[in-house]
């Protein structure tokens, strides 16, 4: 499984390790919103099934999608992944980091 810690866990509250990992990221010339959303939603689904499929109502589930670009691959609206997130009770937040002139007008 990609994006996992050495101990096999996916989710983390080790913010220093997350910051270190994020600082090592680089742009590679293309953007796909579907793939990372699919990966994290699969982890939410797997995590939920390990707990017997029951999720306490007060537990909040959030995904932060940070991007520096407009999607150039896949569905730019990630409709299928957003429907799955809603089914799993996961809220997706997106943050665009870039120059205003590089993001197209809607």
């Amino acid at each position: 499984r990609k994006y996992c810690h050495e101990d096999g866990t996916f989710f983390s509250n080790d913010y220093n390790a997350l910051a270190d990992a994020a600082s090592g990221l680089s742009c590679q010339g293309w953007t796909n919103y579907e793939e990372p959303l699919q990966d994290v939603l699969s982890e939410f689904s797997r995590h939920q099934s390990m707990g017997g499929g029951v999720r306490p109502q007060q537990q909040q589930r959030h995904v932060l999608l940070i991007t520096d670009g407009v999607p150039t691959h896949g569905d730019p609206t990630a409709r299928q992944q957003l429907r799955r997130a809603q089914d799993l009770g996961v809220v997706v937040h997106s943050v665009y980091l870039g120059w205003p002139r590089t993001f197209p007008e809607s």
Side-chain angles (χ1 to χ4, degrees):
R1 294 180 9 225
K2 55 185 171 179
Y3 312 120
C4 289
H5 299 278
E6 290 178 12
D7 65 0
T9 59
F10 181 83
F11 299 103
S12 176
N13 60 357
D14 183 349
Y15 301 113
N16 289 329
L18 293 170
D20 288 344
S23 68
L25 297 176
S26 63
C27 299
Q28 298 183 6
W30 61 276
T31 301
N32 182 331
Y33 292 173
E34 290 178 296
E35 187 177 334
L37 286 174
Q38 183 62 41
D39 289 345
V40 73
L41 293 172
S42 293
E43 289 297 325
F44 271 115
S45 182
R46 189 180 77 73
H47 188 52
Q48 183 173 333
S49 67
M50 288 173 40
V54 177
R55 182 175 67 85
Q57 290 296 85
Q58 70 274 15
Q59 183 182 11
Q60 296 182 2
R61 304 172 103 188
H62 297 268
V63 169
L64 179 59
L65 175 68
I66 302 172
T67 183
D68 67 344
V70 176
T72 57
H73 290 74
D75 177 6
T77 62
R79 284 186 185 105
Q80 184 178 14
Q81 288 73 24
L82 294 177
R83 277 193 298 271
R84 184 169 184 215
Q86 188 173 26
D87 291 344
L88 290 169
V90 176
V91 179
V92 178
H93 307 273
S94 60
V95 176
Y96 172 73
L97 302 175
W99 297 102
R101 66 178 177 257
T102 62
F103 200 84
E105 294 182 25
S106 34

